[in-house]
Amino acid sequence: MAQLHSFTVPDFHLPFGNSKHPQAARANTEATSWVLRHELVTHAAEEFSGIGCGHLAGRVSGDVPYDRILLLAEWMAWSFVLDDQHDHLIRTGQVAAWRPVIGAITEYLETGKAGDASARQNPLVAGFMDLCDRILAGMSQGTASRYRTHVPLMLGSLDQEAGNRRAAERPALQDYILMRRHSSQILPMMDMVEAGLGIDLPQHIHDLPEFRAVVDSALDVISWGNDVFSLPKEYSCGDNNNLVSLVATWEKRSLPDAVQAVEGRIQARIEEYLESERRLLRLMEASPDTDPSVRTAVTRCVRSYQDWIIGADLWQRYECTRYSDERFAAGLESAYTRPDLISVA
């Protein structure tokens, strides 16, 4: 496809305030150093730093100790490399090379061991092992269980994206929306933020339909907004894993009309998020058996999701060069991508 020109991201009118951790810039520098140290990136360090992982971590983590900000920034940095490497393999027809690497990551998450020596030497696997140990060490049993559930779902969604790009027909909108909640890679990061904030809600709270509605609507607002920001790149390379492109296809709209339609969907989803918040908090207040500490934790968790919604938007608009970089917007992999990274395994 041709490159998309004259593209302006709409203002999504997000009704939340946001503060940024004062050491976010330091976290960004140190997360870039971590990526270089693990050889996930071997050149174009300045371009990688421009993604602004530390700035995003600083916007969504609230008032937590610096070491938790840095750990989240490092995880974000790892996940961006993971995503771009997967995209590289799709483009080069080498997706089969993905299996040993992802197999080693999944095995380590489940057992604490990555059996295949060659896979362990891959920077993506070695980086994950370093991060996973430190992440789980700071989590309660319940949060760690959710993290262990969310990471494989995230990895599986990348396979779904690859399948969508090979398929003759584009995915249905609802199927895509469900997949996007995991391919956004946000859920494991939300687990990390909740652990950093000391939030430890029991699983039965997470299982409440009212709680799930809050999480799902937050994920949709964030990921649909990201689809608008990343549209030039995905349109340019014919990637159909984008809500705007899918709305254009299934609703037979022009691309500018599809952008407006997705903007409308996002605004409606924000209203649904706010109503879901109100229902959840009313439920907590109306449940006499609910421990007051649980009510407080639910309220803090909801504020964290607000930070995610507005923080991700502000980061993409003002602190991240990823979506404005000419190479990325032209539909190419990012400038820092190592073409040999998977073949190292």
Side-chain angles (χ1 to χ4, degrees):
M1 284 188 175
Q3 186 172 347
L4 182 63
H5 294 285
S6 303
F7 176 73
T8 302
V9 176
D11 182 352
F12 299 125
H13 305 292
L14 302 169
F16 310 116
N18 184 250
S19 60
K20 184 178 172 184
H21 195 282
Q23 292 181 293
R26 174 186 167 191
N28 196 61
T29 299
E30 293 192 20
T32 301
S33 296
W34 181 88
V35 163
L36 292 168
R37 190 163 64 250
H38 282 271
E39 299 183 331
L40 291 158
V41 171
T42 55
H43 67 285
E46 184 176 350
E47 287 85 348
F48 186 86
S49 178
I51 294 175
C53 298
H55 296 286
L56 177 57
R59 285 199 176 277
V60 302
S61 290
D63 186 18
V64 304
Y66 175 73
D67 65 318
R68 310 309 294 180
I69 297 285
L70 177 57
L71 181 58
L72 179 60
E74 290 170 346
W75 173 265
M76 288 175 170
W78 177 85
S79 70
F80 274 112
V81 174
L82 180 85
D83 188 59
D84 286 334
Q85 285 295 325
H86 185 258
D87 192 53
H88 174 73
L89 293 178
I90 292 173
R91 293 166 184 269
T92 57
Q94 297 177 305
V95 176
W98 193 245
R99 300 266 46 93
V101 172
I102 297 307
I105 288 172
T106 304
E107 181 182 356
Y108 193 82
L109 180 67
E110 293 174 350
T111 69
K113 300 176 182 178
D116 186 273
S118 62
R120 284 201 308 273
Q121 293 170 5
N122 182 274
L124 274 171
V125 178
F128 176 81
M129 292 165 63
D130 171 52
L131 291 168
C132 186
D133 288 346
R134 292 186 286 137
I135 289 168
L136 292 173
M139 286 181 167
S140 68
Q141 184 176 353
T143 306
S145 177
R146 286 187 288 276
Y147 172 82
R148 292 180 191 275
T149 298
H150 290 150
V151 171
L153 290 170
M154 176 192 85
L155 297 174
S157 71
L158 297 179
D159 289 334
Q160 288 180 270
E161 286 191 333
N164 289 344
R165 291 172 72 166
R166 291 193 301 266
E169 186 174 90
R170 297 189 175 201
L173 283 172
Q174 189 57 32
D175 291 342
Y176 173 77
I177 287 168
L178 294 175
M179 180 203 75
R180 190 71 175 94
R181 291 174 186 169
H182 297 293
S183 69
S184 67
Q185 305 192 34
I186 294 171
L187 280 169
M189 299 181 199
M190 285 181 165
D191 297 331
M192 293 176 65
V193 170
E194 289 172 30
L197 291 169
I199 298 170
D200 186 18
L201 290 172
Q203 187 60 43
H204 76 268
I205 297 292
H206 282 271
D207 291 338
L208 288 170
E210 293 83 357
F211 193 93
R212 288 304 320 161
V214 171
V215 175
D216 289 346
S217 53
L219 290 170
D220 288 346
V221 171
I222 298 164
S223 57
W224 298 356
N226 179 257
D227 278 3
V228 177
F229 279 98
S230 63
L231 176 62
K233 184 251 189 183
E234 285 149 10
Y235 172 83
S236 295
C237 68
D239 185 353
N240 56 19
N241 292 292
N242 185 289
L243 186 61
V244 177
S245 296
L246 292 174
V247 166
T249 296
W250 292 114
E251 298 183 2
K252 295 181 170 49
R253 296 175 181 267
S254 69
L255 210 57
D257 284 349
V259 171
Q260 289 188 336
V262 170
E263 179 186 3
R265 284 174 177 259
I266 290 171
Q267 294 303 153
R269 203 70 175 110
I270 291 166
E271 293 304 316
E272 290 168 356
Y273 170 84
L274 293 170
E275 179 55 32
S276 296
E277 263 193 10
R278 289 189 285 267
R279 285 199 304 269
L280 175 62
L281 296 178
R282 284 198 299 266
L283 176 66
M284 292 294 102
E285 289 300 321
S287 301
D289 295 334
T290 301
D291 189 289
S293 65
V294 172
R295 291 196 190 100
T296 300
V298 168
T299 301
R300 184 64 190 90
C301 203
V302 164
R303 278 176 41 212
S304 174
Y305 298 153
Q306 293 178 4
D307 285 342
W308 269 104
I309 293 171
I310 185 64
D313 183 82
L314 293 172
W315 162 74
Q316 290 172 121
R317 288 182 190 277
Y318 305 118
E319 297 162 343
C320 175
T321 62
R322 178 178 174 84
Y323 307 110
S324 59
D325 179 271
E326 290 183 4
R327 181 180 171 90
F328 185 87
L332 304 172
E333 293 100 13
S334 298
Y336 54 77
T337 300
R338 275 188 63 182
D340 66 335
L341 183 62
I342 299 298
S343 63
V344 172

